[in-house]
Amino acid sequence: MSRDWWLKFSFLVAVCIGSALLVYPTVGKVDLEKTKLPFKQKINLGLDLQGGVYMVLGVDFNRVFRDNVDRQAAGIEQAGKDKADLGIKSVKAIREGLAADDPHLVVEFDPAQTQKISDWLKNDYSWTLRRVAESSGKIELGISSQFREKIRSDTITQSIEVVRNRIDEFGVTEPVITSQGADRLVVELPGVKDVERAKELIGRTASLEFKMLAETVMTEPQVIQMVEEVKRSQNLEFKEGDKLSAYTAKINEAVKSKIPENTEIVFGREEVMPGADPRSGRLTPYLLYRKADVTGQELQDASVGFNPDDNRPEVDFTLNPRGAVLFEKMSGENIGKSMAIVLDNIVHSVPRFQTKIPNGRVRITLGGNRSYDQVQKEANDLAIVLRAGALPAQLDFLEQRVIGPSLGADSIKKGAMASMIGTLLVFLFVLFYYRLSGAIAVVSLILNVLFVLALLVSLEATLTLPGIAGIALTVGIAVDSNVVIYERIREELRAGKRPGGAVEAGFQKAFRTILDANITNAAASIVLMVYGTGPIKGFAVTLLIGIVTTLFTAVFVCRLMFDAYLKRLEARNAATLSI
Amino acid sequence: MFEIIKPGTTFDIVGKRHVFVWGSIIAIAITFALFFTKGLNYGIDFTGGAEVQVKLPASWDTGKLRAELEAGGIKHAKIQEIALGGETGAVTERQYLVKAQGDENSLKAISQGVQDIIGKTLKAGEFEMMRVDVVGPAAGADLRKRGFLSMVYALICILLYVTLRFDARYSPGAVLALFHDTALTVGFFVITQKQFDLQILAAILALIGYSNNDTIIVFDRVRETLHLHPRLSIEQAVNKAVNETLGRTMLTSLSTFLSVFALWAFGGAVIRDFAVTLMFGIAVGTYSSVFIASSLVIFLTHYMEKKKTGAPGKPKKQYQVRPEPKFQ
């Protein structure tokens, strides 16, 4: 055999050994910790094979934009106070009649300062705001498109971080959290069975706000009465399964004229009897000031502690230095008044300030009527969620799929078995039809599968159930390449060429056809990969890998083996190719 | 050498092409009619909804399951028994698919409700929630849009590629053949009313890529034949080419069919419909490459001749052939 051949052959052997080493940890029973093998990775199994939870979450940007405009409005207002020469009279955020994702703010100022205002806005706010409308003494601004983009991408990145933090605490091995498109998150939690808890953990906005009760405006009984009236007159009863946030918005809309603009109604839930669904508790309305003096941003730590009075679990917060100062101020200015601790827009508790609280430590005691375990669990989860940070935006659950573990194991078993039988059938067929050349094809097909698995492991791609089918399909398609080459060789032999020439011509002429076929396969697979998710994506990736390996084995490996075969024929002076 | 088609045999495929083409046109028309009337049995991936796959003891038949669910308040669910297949001996358990639709809030209540209702009557070890899928209606509509868009993109990519590789006579033929395959496969699902979900769509996309192979094999040979025998009419050339590649076409399809057949027979319930899609698609794809794509090439050749000369083209005209690209 020529030196060229030996070089190629050694290359092939090296690739085979490498692949075998990559694949062995998956198929052999290898303990990943103790092994001395160079590659310590098992193949990544998709959710449909492992069992677990798959969720698609939609990010609600509207609220984020609203909060941002509110914050900018507050900033401009503050600047107006600091720089009296700007002549700013008032700053208001408005949402009436505007698209939900495009709130505006209106600045009213002394018309004489129009130029100054214009310059100042251009200096400080040109990147974040855009002019919507102007008139004498009034200017309306909205969020600029580039800032909007930044907010969007920042929100997504932050959401992913927060979700990741929460899941870490949950103790899931190898969770996958990615963004999809412009406004979605995909979360995959292999091995998790308690969906509801996972959803609770992930979906809670966990926005923590301390707001003062507007007791001087209306007393609590007056608030309750007002809300009851509105409920009756406008038929706004809270139904089971309604979203509380939507309901709260509706009520606030209905009482708008009756309450001052800087206040809002927020509901709290009453305690329920032990064993009952906590969500069936009656809703109590509270009138709170909109402004949150202290928020979750000032939270330094949250942990589970025990109330010394009755030994029940509670959540202890510690605020950071800035938060401690704010809280001290808040408590000092409001002695004798009540503060609402608002979690996810639901009033959790309403403690009264007896004294100024200087050290930034707050306690939330959790509901008294449930079992100790339930309360403990809730305390734990609440602490986790607070520690990991608040979600910058609300997440809606668009899709969720839970695969039980036995379905996964079952699928692997059946899928692998079917693929092997299919491959075996193909082998038999090829051996029967092409005899020794068929044997060559069989060897190249076996190597093909080995390479596919090795590439899956090394690229850390995920193997899903359709992916297993994809491997079987790849074998079927790989045989096509062999058939194309062999039929061509047969034709050349019929036309009178000698074995060597026929093989040469066969490979040459067939190459272009094989390339075309595989390129069109690849095109469809790429489209599938871009548009697919989850198991489908796994299928597309497996097919693509299969196309690459097929090209390699059908052309390079087969050719190598044929060259060896031809040499053997030559040595024995035989003239017929077994094909 | 063992030959499935003896070399030198010639079937008159081209002569009877009108039969095949008209047959296909009628089949596609029927598919369209049914698609817009009966419609596909979309899975929850595309319509949104909740789907629960549950394993129950054999004593629970469809009627009992429905009765239990209705008693528990779940009234409009579709219940389908999943044929497990491959089981020997007495049936010890059954698997059911419970499908329900509604808006987002009721879906979650339903998926939880199914678990609760069954859990009340049976003990923990006697039943198992194999899979619970909830797709919000907005997400479902989105997936459907993306799904069909992806089919369109794949077809466009292939159209572009074939146009590059061959000339204008061939590419419409290839794409129409693919469209023909896709339409008939979708028609298969309309007629059998099997569940059409994301997995099936993936299979169809894989088919779009795959069934083009046969077509390209035939076209390659047509072009080569025209090149080597320029005095043949297009009909004769195509017939010769198709016959010469018939063996190869059937073999490649057979080999792929074998591996997919094993998936269908042994792969379990989850993969079975996926495999059926591929099997049907491979069969139709082979048929279209041999009978339809070739006919379209002939039709287009005459059509372009007519446009060039402005007179009805005579079949025996000399034709300018683009030389096959050198690949060294």
Side-chain angles (χ1 to χ4, degrees), chain A residues 124-250:
Chain A
D124 288 11
Y125 288 93
S126 62
W127 194 64
T128 57
L129 296 173
R130 71 184 200 279
R131 283 164 207 265
V132 174
E134 288 181 66
S135 55
S136 166
K138 213 156 111 161
I139 184 168
E140 190 171 331
L141 302 158
I143 304 183
S144 74
S145 52
Q146 75 244 29
F147 193 48
R148 186 189 289 274
E149 275 320 301
K150 179 164 193 305
I151 293 181
R152 268 188 211 269
S153 68
D154 280 354
T155 306
I156 298 240
T157 317
Q158 218 183 323
S159 300
I160 294 183
E161 262 320 295
V162 172
V163 172
R164 195 189 303 281
N165 285 338
R166 293 184 187 178
I167 292 182
D168 278 345
E169 298 246 17
F170 202 58
V172 178
T173 46
E174 299 177 20
V176 172
I177 306 159
T178 49
S179 62
Q180 189 190 82
D183 60 350
R184 291 176 186 208
L185 295 181
V186 173
V187 177
E188 291 181 34
L189 305 172
V192 165
K193 289 176 214 135
D194 192 350
V195 188
E196 285 312 311
R197 185 151 175 241
K199 280 171 65 178
E200 276 291 307
L201 209 57
I202 290 176
R204 289 185 96 148
T205 326
S207 70
L208 177 68
E209 294 164 308
F210 294 171
K211 294 182 176 173
M212 293 305 301
L213 252 66
E215 288 166 311
T216 47
V217 176
M218 271 191 207
T219 62
E220 182 61 19
Q222 283 176 322
V223 174
I224 296 182
Q225 194 188 20
M226 173 182 73
V227 172
E228 282 299 314
E229 270 172 25
V230 164
K231 268 164 57 174
R232 251 189 320 237
S233 66
Q234 299 200 19
N235 208 358
L236 285 170
E237 273 304 321
F238 182 69
K239 286 185 270 7
E240 188 66 48
D242 279 351
K243 249 178 148 169
L244 185 57
S245 50
Y247 182 72
T248 311
K250 267 193 271 195

Side-chain angles (χ1 to χ4, degrees), chain A residues 233-289:
Chain A
S233 66
Q234 299 200 19
N235 208 358
L236 285 170
E237 273 304 321
F238 182 69
K239 286 185 270 7
E240 188 66 48
D242 279 351
K243 249 178 148 169
L244 185 57
S245 50
Y247 182 72
T248 311
K250 267 193 271 195
I251 295 278
N252 269 308
E253 188 58 36
V255 299
K256 217 171 28 176
S257 49
K258 305 205 177 90
I259 56 177
E261 227 188 285
N262 61 347
T263 57
E264 58 179 352
I265 300 275
V266 181
F267 287 96
R269 270 195 207 274
E270 256 182 35
E271 275 311 310
V272 290
M273 298 312 291
D277 182 358
R279 282 172 292 181
S280 65
R282 254 213 328 255
L283 295 173
T284 315
Y286 295 94
L287 188 66
L288 306 177
Y289 285 111

